[in-house]
Short mmCIF file of all heavy atoms in Angstrom, two decimals:
data_model
loop_
_atom_site.label_atom_id
_atom_site.label_comp_id
_atom_site.label_asym_id
_atom_site.label_seq_id
_atom_site.Cartn_x
_atom_site.Cartn_y
_atom_site.Cartn_z
N PRO A 1 -12.66 -44.73 67.17
CA PRO A 1 -11.49 -45.60 67.39
C PRO A 1 -11.57 -46.37 68.71
O PRO A 1 -12.03 -45.82 69.64
CB PRO A 1 -10.29 -44.62 67.31
CG PRO A 1 -10.83 -43.39 66.66
CD PRO A 1 -12.24 -43.32 66.94
N ILE A 2 -11.12 -47.52 68.69
CA ILE A 2 -11.12 -48.37 69.82
C ILE A 2 -10.06 -47.91 70.85
O ILE A 2 -10.32 -48.15 72.09
CB ILE A 2 -10.96 -49.85 69.42
CG1 ILE A 2 -11.46 -50.70 70.57
CG2 ILE A 2 -9.57 -50.17 69.02
CD1 ILE A 2 -11.61 -52.20 70.15
N ASN A 3 -9.05 -47.26 70.40
CA ASN A 3 -7.94 -46.87 71.30
C ASN A 3 -8.07 -45.44 71.74
O ASN A 3 -7.92 -44.50 70.98
CB ASN A 3 -6.60 -47.01 70.58
CG ASN A 3 -5.45 -46.85 71.46
OD1 ASN A 3 -5.54 -46.38 72.57
ND2 ASN A 3 -4.24 -47.18 70.92
N ASN A 4 -8.47 -45.19 73.02
CA ASN A 4 -8.73 -43.82 73.54
C ASN A 4 -7.41 -43.09 73.70
O ASN A 4 -7.46 -41.88 73.96
CB ASN A 4 -9.49 -43.89 74.85
CG ASN A 4 -10.96 -44.03 74.60
OD1 ASN A 4 -11.49 -43.67 73.56
ND2 ASN A 4 -11.65 -44.66 75.54
N VAL A 5 -6.28 -43.66 73.56
CA VAL A 5 -4.98 -43.00 73.60
C VAL A 5 -4.97 -41.88 72.42
O VAL A 5 -4.31 -40.94 72.56
CB VAL A 5 -3.76 -43.92 73.45
CG1 VAL A 5 -2.49 -43.20 73.34
CG2 VAL A 5 -3.79 -44.87 74.62
N GLN A 6 -5.65 -42.16 71.40
CA GLN A 6 -5.66 -41.29 70.28
C GLN A 6 -6.69 -40.15 70.37
O GLN A 6 -6.88 -39.32 69.56
CB GLN A 6 -6.02 -42.04 68.97
CG GLN A 6 -4.97 -43.08 68.63
CD GLN A 6 -5.32 -43.91 67.47
OE1 GLN A 6 -6.51 -44.07 67.17
NE2 GLN A 6 -4.33 -44.49 66.77
N LEU A 7 -7.41 -40.04 71.55
CA LEU A 7 -8.32 -39.05 71.84
C LEU A 7 -7.61 -37.66 72.00
O LEU A 7 -6.70 -37.48 72.86
CB LEU A 7 -9.12 -39.35 73.05
CG LEU A 7 -10.19 -38.35 73.49
CD1 LEU A 7 -11.34 -38.27 72.40
CD2 LEU A 7 -10.81 -38.77 74.87
N ILE A 8 -8.02 -36.72 71.23
CA ILE A 8 -7.40 -35.38 71.29
C ILE A 8 -8.21 -34.46 72.23
O ILE A 8 -7.62 -33.78 73.06
CB ILE A 8 -7.29 -34.72 69.87
CG1 ILE A 8 -6.47 -35.48 68.92
CG2 ILE A 8 -6.80 -33.23 70.00
CD1 ILE A 8 -6.59 -35.08 67.47
N ALA A 9 -9.51 -34.47 72.06
CA ALA A 9 -10.36 -33.54 72.83
C ALA A 9 -11.78 -34.08 72.90
O ALA A 9 -12.25 -34.86 72.12
CB ALA A 9 -10.37 -32.12 72.15
N THR A 10 -12.38 -33.65 73.97
CA THR A 10 -13.86 -33.99 74.12
C THR A 10 -14.55 -32.56 74.36
O THR A 10 -14.07 -31.83 75.23
CB THR A 10 -14.09 -34.84 75.34
OG1 THR A 10 -13.43 -36.08 75.09
CG2 THR A 10 -15.58 -35.15 75.53
N LYS A 11 -15.53 -32.28 73.59
CA LYS A 11 -16.20 -30.93 73.68
C LYS A 11 -17.74 -31.11 73.51
O LYS A 11 -18.21 -32.12 72.93
CB LYS A 11 -15.76 -30.04 72.54
CG LYS A 11 -14.26 -29.83 72.43
CD LYS A 11 -13.87 -29.03 71.21
CE LYS A 11 -12.35 -28.93 71.15
NZ LYS A 11 -11.91 -27.88 70.21
N TYR A 12 -18.43 -30.21 74.23
CA TYR A 12 -19.92 -30.20 73.99
C TYR A 12 -20.13 -29.11 72.94
O TYR A 12 -19.80 -27.99 73.12
CB TYR A 12 -20.62 -29.87 75.27
CG TYR A 12 -20.56 -31.13 76.17
CD1 TYR A 12 -19.57 -31.22 77.19
CD2 TYR A 12 -21.48 -32.15 76.03
CE1 TYR A 12 -19.48 -32.39 77.98
CE2 TYR A 12 -21.43 -33.29 76.85
CZ TYR A 12 -20.50 -33.38 77.81
OH TYR A 12 -20.40 -34.53 78.58
N ILE A 13 -20.68 -29.49 71.76
CA ILE A 13 -20.92 -28.63 70.66
C ILE A 13 -22.39 -28.81 70.16
O ILE A 13 -22.89 -29.92 70.17
CB ILE A 13 -19.85 -28.97 69.51
CG1 ILE A 13 -18.52 -28.64 70.04
CG2 ILE A 13 -20.08 -28.15 68.34
CD1 ILE A 13 -17.35 -28.97 69.06
N GLN A 14 -22.95 -27.70 69.64
CA GLN A 14 -24.36 -27.74 69.33
C GLN A 14 -24.76 -28.55 68.14
O GLN A 14 -25.87 -29.03 68.05
CB GLN A 14 -24.84 -26.31 69.17
CG GLN A 14 -24.89 -25.56 70.40
CD GLN A 14 -25.77 -26.22 71.44
OE1 GLN A 14 -26.88 -26.53 71.20
NE2 GLN A 14 -25.24 -26.47 72.68
N THR A 15 -23.86 -28.74 67.10
CA THR A 15 -24.27 -29.48 65.88
C THR A 15 -23.19 -30.31 65.38
O THR A 15 -22.02 -30.15 65.75
CB THR A 15 -24.63 -28.50 64.73
OG1 THR A 15 -23.50 -27.82 64.36
CG2 THR A 15 -25.75 -27.51 65.17
N LYS A 16 -23.53 -31.32 64.56
CA LYS A 16 -22.57 -32.26 64.02
C LYS A 16 -21.60 -31.48 63.06
O LYS A 16 -20.43 -31.81 62.90
CB LYS A 16 -23.19 -33.44 63.34
CG LYS A 16 -24.11 -33.15 62.19
CD LYS A 16 -24.73 -34.38 61.64
CE LYS A 16 -25.69 -34.04 60.56
NZ LYS A 16 -26.44 -35.21 60.02
N PHE A 17 -22.17 -30.44 62.37
CA PHE A 17 -21.38 -29.65 61.50
C PHE A 17 -20.32 -28.92 62.23
O PHE A 17 -19.09 -28.87 61.78
CB PHE A 17 -22.28 -28.66 60.75
CG PHE A 17 -21.47 -27.69 59.89
CD1 PHE A 17 -21.04 -28.08 58.65
CD2 PHE A 17 -21.25 -26.36 60.31
CE1 PHE A 17 -20.30 -27.24 57.87
CE2 PHE A 17 -20.50 -25.54 59.48
CZ PHE A 17 -20.04 -25.94 58.32
N LEU A 18 -20.59 -28.34 63.43
CA LEU A 18 -19.62 -27.63 64.25
C LEU A 18 -18.58 -28.63 64.75
O LEU A 18 -17.46 -28.32 65.01
CB LEU A 18 -20.26 -26.88 65.32
CG LEU A 18 -21.10 -25.60 64.80
CD1 LEU A 18 -21.79 -24.97 66.03
CD2 LEU A 18 -20.18 -24.60 64.13
N CYS A 19 -19.01 -29.81 65.02
CA CYS A 19 -18.08 -30.91 65.50
C CYS A 19 -17.02 -31.20 64.35
O CYS A 19 -15.89 -31.34 64.62
CB CYS A 19 -18.81 -32.17 65.93
SG CYS A 19 -17.79 -33.50 66.52
N SER A 20 -17.55 -31.32 63.20
CA SER A 20 -16.67 -31.57 62.00
C SER A 20 -15.71 -30.38 61.81
O SER A 20 -14.57 -30.61 61.46
CB SER A 20 -17.44 -31.91 60.75
OG SER A 20 -18.12 -30.78 60.30
N ALA A 21 -16.21 -29.19 62.05
CA ALA A 21 -15.39 -28.01 61.90
C ALA A 21 -14.31 -27.96 62.91
O ALA A 21 -13.15 -27.64 62.72
CB ALA A 21 -16.22 -26.76 62.00
N ALA A 22 -14.65 -28.48 64.17
CA ALA A 22 -13.65 -28.51 65.28
C ALA A 22 -12.56 -29.48 64.92
O ALA A 22 -11.36 -29.26 65.27
CB ALA A 22 -14.32 -28.90 66.61
N CYS A 23 -12.88 -30.61 64.28
CA CYS A 23 -11.94 -31.59 63.79
C CYS A 23 -10.99 -30.95 62.79
O CYS A 23 -9.81 -31.15 62.80
CB CYS A 23 -12.56 -32.84 63.31
SG CYS A 23 -11.49 -34.14 62.85
N ASN A 24 -11.62 -30.25 61.82
CA ASN A 24 -10.93 -29.61 60.80
C ASN A 24 -9.88 -28.57 61.28
O ASN A 24 -8.77 -28.36 60.72
CB ASN A 24 -11.84 -28.97 59.80
CG ASN A 24 -11.19 -28.56 58.50
OD1 ASN A 24 -10.39 -29.32 57.97
ND2 ASN A 24 -11.43 -27.37 58.08
N GLN A 25 -10.14 -27.94 62.42
CA GLN A 25 -9.26 -26.91 63.00
C GLN A 25 -8.11 -27.59 63.76
O GLN A 25 -7.11 -26.88 63.95
CB GLN A 25 -10.12 -26.01 63.91
CG GLN A 25 -11.04 -25.14 63.17
CD GLN A 25 -11.90 -24.32 64.13
OE1 GLN A 25 -11.91 -24.52 65.33
NE2 GLN A 25 -12.68 -23.37 63.57
N GLU A 26 -8.17 -28.81 64.09
CA GLU A 26 -7.13 -29.49 64.79
C GLU A 26 -6.26 -30.22 63.68
O GLU A 26 -6.76 -31.11 63.02
CB GLU A 26 -7.61 -30.50 65.76
CG GLU A 26 -8.26 -29.99 67.03
CD GLU A 26 -7.28 -29.63 68.02
OE1 GLU A 26 -6.11 -29.96 67.96
OE2 GLU A 26 -7.70 -28.88 68.93
N SER A 27 -5.01 -29.81 63.57
CA SER A 27 -4.20 -30.39 62.54
C SER A 27 -3.99 -31.88 62.62
O SER A 27 -3.83 -32.55 61.61
CB SER A 27 -2.82 -29.67 62.46
OG SER A 27 -2.13 -29.96 63.68
N SER A 28 -4.07 -32.46 63.84
CA SER A 28 -3.88 -33.87 63.95
C SER A 28 -5.17 -34.67 63.96
O SER A 28 -5.16 -35.91 64.03
CB SER A 28 -3.07 -34.16 65.23
OG SER A 28 -3.75 -33.66 66.35
N CYS A 29 -6.31 -34.01 63.90
CA CYS A 29 -7.61 -34.77 63.93
C CYS A 29 -7.94 -35.43 62.62
O CYS A 29 -7.83 -34.79 61.55
CB CYS A 29 -8.76 -33.78 64.29
SG CYS A 29 -10.37 -34.60 64.53
N ARG A 30 -8.21 -36.75 62.69
CA ARG A 30 -8.65 -37.46 61.50
C ARG A 30 -9.96 -38.11 61.64
O ARG A 30 -10.64 -38.45 60.63
CB ARG A 30 -7.59 -38.60 61.22
CG ARG A 30 -6.17 -38.03 60.95
CD ARG A 30 -6.14 -37.29 59.59
NE ARG A 30 -4.81 -36.73 59.31
CZ ARG A 30 -4.52 -35.52 59.67
NH1 ARG A 30 -5.31 -34.71 60.18
NH2 ARG A 30 -3.24 -35.07 59.38
N ILE A 31 -10.49 -38.37 62.82
CA ILE A 31 -11.75 -38.95 63.08
C ILE A 31 -12.48 -38.20 64.15
O ILE A 31 -11.86 -37.76 65.17
CB ILE A 31 -11.64 -40.50 63.48
CG1 ILE A 31 -11.02 -41.22 62.38
CG2 ILE A 31 -13.00 -40.99 63.90
CD1 ILE A 31 -10.73 -42.72 62.74
N PHE A 32 -13.81 -37.98 64.03
CA PHE A 32 -14.60 -37.41 65.10
C PHE A 32 -15.82 -38.27 65.27
O PHE A 32 -16.31 -38.91 64.35
CB PHE A 32 -14.92 -35.95 64.86
CG PHE A 32 -15.83 -35.75 63.71
CD1 PHE A 32 -17.25 -35.72 63.88
CD2 PHE A 32 -15.37 -35.52 62.41
CE1 PHE A 32 -18.08 -35.53 62.78
CE2 PHE A 32 -16.23 -35.31 61.36
CZ PHE A 32 -17.63 -35.26 61.52
N ASP A 33 -16.33 -38.31 66.47
CA ASP A 33 -17.73 -38.81 66.72
C ASP A 33 -18.51 -37.83 67.44
O ASP A 33 -18.00 -36.97 68.16
CB ASP A 33 -17.74 -40.25 67.32
CG ASP A 33 -17.30 -40.27 68.76
OD1 ASP A 33 -16.95 -39.20 69.38
OD2 ASP A 33 -17.16 -41.36 69.28
N TYR A 34 -19.83 -37.88 67.14
CA TYR A 34 -20.78 -36.86 67.72
C TYR A 34 -22.03 -37.57 68.06
O TYR A 34 -22.60 -38.36 67.29
CB TYR A 34 -21.01 -35.77 66.70
CG TYR A 34 -21.85 -34.70 67.16
CD1 TYR A 34 -21.39 -33.74 68.11
CD2 TYR A 34 -23.15 -34.57 66.70
CE1 TYR A 34 -22.24 -32.74 68.51
CE2 TYR A 34 -24.03 -33.55 67.16
CZ TYR A 34 -23.55 -32.58 68.06
OH TYR A 34 -24.36 -31.63 68.59
N ASP A 35 -22.55 -37.23 69.25
CA ASP A 35 -23.87 -37.71 69.68
C ASP A 35 -24.87 -36.64 69.58
O ASP A 35 -24.72 -35.59 70.23
CB ASP A 35 -23.78 -38.30 71.12
CG ASP A 35 -25.05 -39.03 71.47
OD1 ASP A 35 -26.00 -38.33 71.93
OD2 ASP A 35 -25.18 -40.20 71.25
N LEU A 36 -25.90 -36.81 68.80
CA LEU A 36 -26.93 -35.79 68.60
C LEU A 36 -27.68 -35.44 69.85
O LEU A 36 -28.21 -34.28 69.93
CB LEU A 36 -27.95 -36.34 67.51
CG LEU A 36 -27.31 -36.53 66.16
CD1 LEU A 36 -28.21 -37.32 65.24
CD2 LEU A 36 -26.84 -35.22 65.46
N ILE A 37 -27.88 -36.37 70.81
CA ILE A 37 -28.62 -36.09 71.98
C ILE A 37 -27.84 -35.33 73.03
O ILE A 37 -28.16 -34.27 73.54
CB ILE A 37 -29.23 -37.37 72.62
CG1 ILE A 37 -30.17 -38.09 71.60
CG2 ILE A 37 -29.97 -37.11 73.87
CD1 ILE A 37 -31.37 -37.29 71.18
N SER A 38 -26.61 -35.95 73.44
CA SER A 38 -25.75 -35.35 74.41
C SER A 38 -24.95 -34.13 73.92
O SER A 38 -24.43 -33.38 74.72
CB SER A 38 -24.87 -36.38 74.99
OG SER A 38 -23.89 -36.71 74.10
N LYS A 39 -24.79 -33.98 72.64
CA LYS A 39 -24.02 -32.95 71.98
C LYS A 39 -22.52 -33.11 72.23
O LYS A 39 -21.76 -32.15 72.14
CB LYS A 39 -24.45 -31.53 72.38
CG LYS A 39 -25.92 -31.23 72.27
CD LYS A 39 -26.40 -31.13 70.88
CE LYS A 39 -27.83 -30.69 70.81
NZ LYS A 39 -28.40 -30.90 69.57
N LEU A 40 -22.17 -34.35 72.63
CA LEU A 40 -20.73 -34.63 72.90
C LEU A 40 -19.93 -34.91 71.56
O LEU A 40 -20.38 -35.75 70.77
CB LEU A 40 -20.64 -35.80 73.80
CG LEU A 40 -19.22 -36.26 74.23
CD1 LEU A 40 -18.58 -35.17 75.09
CD2 LEU A 40 -19.23 -37.53 74.96
N CYS A 41 -18.90 -34.16 71.40
CA CYS A 41 -18.03 -34.30 70.19
C CYS A 41 -16.66 -34.77 70.72
O CYS A 41 -16.04 -34.10 71.59
CB CYS A 41 -17.90 -32.91 69.51
SG CYS A 41 -16.74 -32.85 68.16
N ARG A 42 -16.20 -35.89 70.09
CA ARG A 42 -14.87 -36.40 70.49
C ARG A 42 -13.99 -36.38 69.26
O ARG A 42 -14.41 -36.83 68.14
CB ARG A 42 -14.94 -37.82 71.01
CG ARG A 42 -15.72 -37.85 72.35
CD ARG A 42 -15.69 -39.21 73.02
NE ARG A 42 -16.08 -40.28 72.13
CZ ARG A 42 -15.83 -41.55 72.30
NH1 ARG A 42 -15.15 -41.93 73.31
NH2 ARG A 42 -16.29 -42.44 71.41
N LEU A 43 -12.75 -35.86 69.41
CA LEU A 43 -11.82 -35.73 68.33
C LEU A 43 -10.70 -36.68 68.48
O LEU A 43 -10.18 -36.79 69.59
CB LEU A 43 -11.28 -34.36 68.19
CG LEU A 43 -12.32 -33.18 68.19
CD1 LEU A 43 -11.59 -31.83 68.18
CD2 LEU A 43 -13.28 -33.38 66.98
N PHE A 44 -10.28 -37.45 67.41
CA PHE A 44 -9.29 -38.44 67.57
C PHE A 44 -8.20 -38.24 66.52
O PHE A 44 -8.55 -37.71 65.36
CB PHE A 44 -9.84 -39.86 67.35
CG PHE A 44 -10.77 -40.31 68.39
CD1 PHE A 44 -12.20 -40.06 68.22
CD2 PHE A 44 -10.41 -40.99 69.48
CE1 PHE A 44 -13.08 -40.44 69.14
CE2 PHE A 44 -11.36 -41.41 70.41
CZ PHE A 44 -12.68 -41.07 70.30
N GLU A 45 -6.97 -38.60 66.74
CA GLU A 45 -5.96 -38.43 65.78
C GLU A 45 -5.70 -39.66 64.78
O GLU A 45 -5.01 -39.52 63.85
CB GLU A 45 -4.57 -38.08 66.47
CG GLU A 45 -4.01 -39.09 67.36
CD GLU A 45 -2.75 -38.67 68.05
OE1 GLU A 45 -2.12 -37.69 67.54
OE2 GLU A 45 -2.40 -39.22 69.05
N GLY A 46 -6.18 -40.79 65.09
CA GLY A 46 -6.03 -41.92 64.24
C GLY A 46 -6.84 -41.79 63.02
O GLY A 46 -7.76 -41.03 62.91
N ASP A 47 -6.48 -42.45 61.93
CA ASP A 47 -7.31 -42.37 60.73
C ASP A 47 -8.07 -43.68 60.52
O ASP A 47 -8.14 -44.54 61.36
CB ASP A 47 -6.41 -42.07 59.50
CG ASP A 47 -5.38 -43.12 59.16
OD1 ASP A 47 -5.55 -44.31 59.66
OD2 ASP A 47 -4.47 -42.78 58.44
N SER A 48 -8.77 -43.75 59.41
CA SER A 48 -9.61 -44.97 59.10
C SER A 48 -8.87 -46.30 59.01
O SER A 48 -9.52 -47.32 59.03
CB SER A 48 -10.54 -44.67 57.96
OG SER A 48 -9.75 -44.48 56.79
N THR A 49 -7.56 -46.19 58.88
CA THR A 49 -6.79 -47.43 58.73
C THR A 49 -6.14 -47.79 60.07
O THR A 49 -5.44 -48.79 60.20
CB THR A 49 -5.73 -47.30 57.74
OG1 THR A 49 -4.79 -46.25 58.12
CG2 THR A 49 -6.26 -46.93 56.33
N THR A 50 -6.39 -47.00 61.13
CA THR A 50 -5.78 -47.19 62.46
C THR A 50 -6.85 -47.83 63.37
O THR A 50 -7.87 -47.21 63.58
CB THR A 50 -5.26 -45.94 63.05
OG1 THR A 50 -4.31 -45.28 62.19
CG2 THR A 50 -4.63 -46.21 64.41
N GLY A 51 -6.64 -49.00 63.88
CA GLY A 51 -7.62 -49.57 64.76
C GLY A 51 -8.94 -49.95 64.09
O GLY A 51 -8.89 -50.36 62.96
N SER A 52 -10.05 -49.73 64.77
CA SER A 52 -11.34 -50.05 64.14
C SER A 52 -12.36 -49.15 64.74
O SER A 52 -12.18 -48.51 65.75
CB SER A 52 -11.70 -51.52 64.48
OG SER A 52 -11.83 -51.69 65.85
N ILE A 53 -13.42 -48.99 64.02
CA ILE A 53 -14.56 -48.19 64.41
C ILE A 53 -15.64 -49.19 64.90
O ILE A 53 -16.05 -50.03 64.18
CB ILE A 53 -15.09 -47.30 63.31
CG1 ILE A 53 -14.03 -46.30 62.89
CG2 ILE A 53 -16.35 -46.57 63.72
CD1 ILE A 53 -14.33 -45.44 61.71
N ASN A 54 -16.06 -49.07 66.21
CA ASN A 54 -16.91 -49.98 66.75
C ASN A 54 -18.43 -49.41 66.56
O ASN A 54 -18.67 -48.28 66.52
CB ASN A 54 -16.73 -50.09 68.26
CG ASN A 54 -15.42 -50.74 68.54
OD1 ASN A 54 -14.87 -51.53 67.76
ND2 ASN A 54 -14.86 -50.43 69.67
N LEU A 55 -19.33 -50.40 66.38
CA LEU A 55 -20.76 -49.99 66.29
C LEU A 55 -21.17 -49.44 67.61
O LEU A 55 -20.80 -49.93 68.71
CB LEU A 55 -21.57 -51.19 65.91
CG LEU A 55 -21.35 -51.72 64.50
CD1 LEU A 55 -22.28 -52.98 64.33
CD2 LEU A 55 -21.77 -50.77 63.49
N SER A 56 -21.97 -48.38 67.58
CA SER A 56 -22.49 -47.78 68.76
C SER A 56 -23.86 -48.33 69.01
O SER A 56 -24.65 -48.66 68.16
CB SER A 56 -22.61 -46.27 68.58
OG SER A 56 -23.26 -45.74 69.70
N SER A 57 -24.26 -48.43 70.34
CA SER A 57 -25.60 -48.88 70.72
C SER A 57 -26.53 -47.74 70.63
O SER A 57 -27.76 -47.90 70.70
CB SER A 57 -25.56 -49.38 72.16
OG SER A 57 -25.10 -48.48 72.95
N SER A 58 -26.06 -46.54 70.40
CA SER A 58 -26.85 -45.36 70.26
C SER A 58 -27.17 -45.02 68.82
O SER A 58 -26.24 -44.79 68.05
CB SER A 58 -26.17 -44.10 70.93
OG SER A 58 -26.78 -42.93 70.64
N PRO A 59 -28.44 -44.91 68.50
CA PRO A 59 -28.83 -44.57 67.13
C PRO A 59 -28.55 -43.08 66.79
O PRO A 59 -28.71 -42.69 65.63
CB PRO A 59 -30.33 -44.96 67.04
CG PRO A 59 -30.75 -44.87 68.36
CD PRO A 59 -29.62 -45.24 69.28
N THR A 60 -28.20 -42.29 67.86
CA THR A 60 -27.96 -40.89 67.60
C THR A 60 -26.49 -40.52 67.48
O THR A 60 -26.15 -39.35 67.34
CB THR A 60 -28.58 -40.08 68.78
OG1 THR A 60 -27.94 -40.46 69.97
CG2 THR A 60 -30.07 -40.32 68.89
N SER A 61 -25.64 -41.47 67.40
CA SER A 61 -24.20 -41.30 67.26
C SER A 61 -23.75 -41.45 65.89
O SER A 61 -24.13 -42.31 65.12
CB SER A 61 -23.42 -42.38 68.17
OG SER A 61 -22.04 -42.11 68.09
N ILE A 62 -22.89 -40.44 65.41
CA ILE A 62 -22.37 -40.50 64.07
C ILE A 62 -20.81 -40.39 64.18
O ILE A 62 -20.22 -39.95 65.10
CB ILE A 62 -22.84 -39.33 63.16
CG1 ILE A 62 -22.33 -38.00 63.76
CG2 ILE A 62 -24.34 -39.37 63.03
CD1 ILE A 62 -22.52 -36.87 62.79
N VAL A 63 -20.19 -40.91 63.10
CA VAL A 63 -18.68 -40.89 63.00
C VAL A 63 -18.29 -40.20 61.66
O VAL A 63 -18.95 -40.51 60.67
CB VAL A 63 -18.09 -42.27 63.06
CG1 VAL A 63 -16.61 -42.32 62.81
CG2 VAL A 63 -18.42 -42.96 64.41
N GLY A 64 -17.36 -39.32 61.78
CA GLY A 64 -16.89 -38.68 60.56
C GLY A 64 -15.33 -38.98 60.40
O GLY A 64 -14.68 -39.01 61.39
N VAL A 65 -14.90 -39.01 59.19
CA VAL A 65 -13.51 -39.33 58.86
C VAL A 65 -12.97 -38.25 57.96
O VAL A 65 -13.58 -37.93 56.94
CB VAL A 65 -13.33 -40.72 58.18
CG1 VAL A 65 -11.87 -40.94 57.84
CG2 VAL A 65 -13.89 -41.75 59.04
N VAL A 66 -11.84 -37.66 58.30
CA VAL A 66 -11.12 -36.71 57.43
C VAL A 66 -10.21 -37.51 56.52
O VAL A 66 -9.38 -38.25 57.02
CB VAL A 66 -10.33 -35.68 58.30
CG1 VAL A 66 -9.59 -34.76 57.40
CG2 VAL A 66 -11.29 -34.90 59.15
N SER A 67 -10.47 -37.39 55.29
CA SER A 67 -9.65 -38.15 54.24
C SER A 67 -8.69 -37.18 53.53
O SER A 67 -9.14 -36.15 52.98
CB SER A 67 -10.52 -38.80 53.25
OG SER A 67 -9.78 -39.48 52.31
N ILE A 68 -7.44 -37.36 53.64
CA ILE A 68 -6.43 -36.49 53.06
C ILE A 68 -5.83 -37.20 51.79
O ILE A 68 -5.38 -38.37 51.96
CB ILE A 68 -5.35 -36.07 54.00
CG1 ILE A 68 -6.00 -35.29 55.12
CG2 ILE A 68 -4.26 -35.23 53.34
CD1 ILE A 68 -5.07 -34.88 56.21
N SER A 69 -5.85 -36.62 50.65
CA SER A 69 -5.35 -37.19 49.49
C SER A 69 -4.41 -36.23 48.72
O SER A 69 -4.63 -35.00 48.74
CB SER A 69 -6.56 -37.54 48.50
OG SER A 69 -6.07 -37.93 47.27
N SER A 70 -3.32 -36.73 48.22
CA SER A 70 -2.39 -35.89 47.49
C SER A 70 -3.04 -35.22 46.26
O SER A 70 -2.57 -34.12 45.77
CB SER A 70 -1.18 -36.64 47.06
OG SER A 70 -1.51 -37.70 46.22
N SER A 71 -4.14 -35.76 45.81
CA SER A 71 -4.84 -35.24 44.63
C SER A 71 -5.47 -33.89 44.85
O SER A 71 -5.78 -33.10 43.95
CB SER A 71 -5.81 -36.15 44.03
OG SER A 71 -6.83 -36.40 44.98
N ILE A 72 -5.71 -33.51 46.13
CA ILE A 72 -6.30 -32.26 46.46
C ILE A 72 -5.28 -31.09 46.50
O ILE A 72 -5.61 -29.90 46.64
CB ILE A 72 -7.16 -32.26 47.68
CG1 ILE A 72 -6.30 -32.52 48.94
CG2 ILE A 72 -8.26 -33.30 47.61
CD1 ILE A 72 -7.02 -32.38 50.26
N TYR A 73 -4.04 -31.42 46.37
CA TYR A 73 -2.95 -30.41 46.47
C TYR A 73 -2.35 -30.20 45.08
O TYR A 73 -2.29 -31.08 44.28
CB TYR A 73 -1.83 -30.86 47.48
CG TYR A 73 -2.37 -31.01 48.87
CD1 TYR A 73 -2.76 -32.28 49.30
CD2 TYR A 73 -2.50 -29.90 49.69
CE1 TYR A 73 -3.19 -32.38 50.65
CE2 TYR A 73 -2.96 -30.10 50.99
CZ TYR A 73 -3.30 -31.32 51.38
OH TYR A 73 -3.84 -31.49 52.69
N SER A 74 -1.88 -29.01 44.87
CA SER A 74 -1.24 -28.67 43.60
C SER A 74 0.32 -28.61 43.85
O SER A 74 0.76 -28.23 44.91
CB SER A 74 -1.72 -27.37 42.97
OG SER A 74 -1.51 -26.30 43.85
N SER A 75 1.11 -28.96 42.81
CA SER A 75 2.57 -28.83 42.93
C SER A 75 2.96 -27.42 42.73
O SER A 75 2.51 -26.69 41.90
CB SER A 75 3.15 -29.62 41.75
OG SER A 75 2.83 -31.04 41.91
N ILE A 76 3.78 -27.00 43.69
CA ILE A 76 4.35 -25.59 43.60
C ILE A 76 5.86 -25.74 43.52
O ILE A 76 6.49 -26.46 44.30
CB ILE A 76 3.91 -24.78 44.91
CG1 ILE A 76 2.37 -24.74 44.96
CG2 ILE A 76 4.54 -23.47 44.92
CD1 ILE A 76 1.88 -24.10 46.23
N ASN A 77 6.40 -25.02 42.57
CA ASN A 77 7.90 -25.01 42.45
C ASN A 77 8.39 -26.43 42.18
O ASN A 77 9.47 -26.76 42.60
CB ASN A 77 8.64 -24.37 43.53
CG ASN A 77 8.23 -22.92 43.77
OD1 ASN A 77 8.00 -22.21 42.75
ND2 ASN A 77 8.18 -22.49 44.99
N ASN A 78 7.67 -27.20 41.51
CA ASN A 78 8.07 -28.59 41.19
C ASN A 78 8.37 -28.68 39.69
O ASN A 78 7.58 -29.31 38.98
CB ASN A 78 6.98 -29.61 41.67
CG ASN A 78 7.41 -30.98 41.60
OD1 ASN A 78 8.63 -31.28 41.45
ND2 ASN A 78 6.52 -31.91 41.75
N GLN A 79 9.41 -28.06 39.30
CA GLN A 79 9.73 -28.01 37.87
C GLN A 79 10.77 -29.05 37.57
O GLN A 79 11.73 -29.28 38.30
CB GLN A 79 10.27 -26.60 37.45
CG GLN A 79 9.24 -25.58 37.69
CD GLN A 79 9.79 -24.16 37.44
OE1 GLN A 79 10.96 -24.03 37.15
NE2 GLN A 79 8.98 -23.16 37.62
N LEU A 80 10.60 -29.69 36.44
CA LEU A 80 11.59 -30.74 36.05
C LEU A 80 12.53 -30.21 35.03
O LEU A 80 12.37 -29.42 34.25
CB LEU A 80 10.87 -31.93 35.39
CG LEU A 80 9.94 -32.66 36.39
CD1 LEU A 80 9.19 -33.80 35.60
CD2 LEU A 80 10.73 -33.25 37.50
#
């Protein structure tokens, strides 16, 4: 995200998988980026419709997006 106000945390983590897991553990995290060389993982609360994702000059940087959809949830006690 272009807006660093949405930055939740910055951590040094060993793998991109663990970075995505760190995002998953933060209830407000929707986007993470990870640099394979520096092992820097940044967690953001904005989603893919908030702001924009800028191209990185680093070929070792990746961006992940958490997508939440109502279709992954089941209705409970929703009787008509």
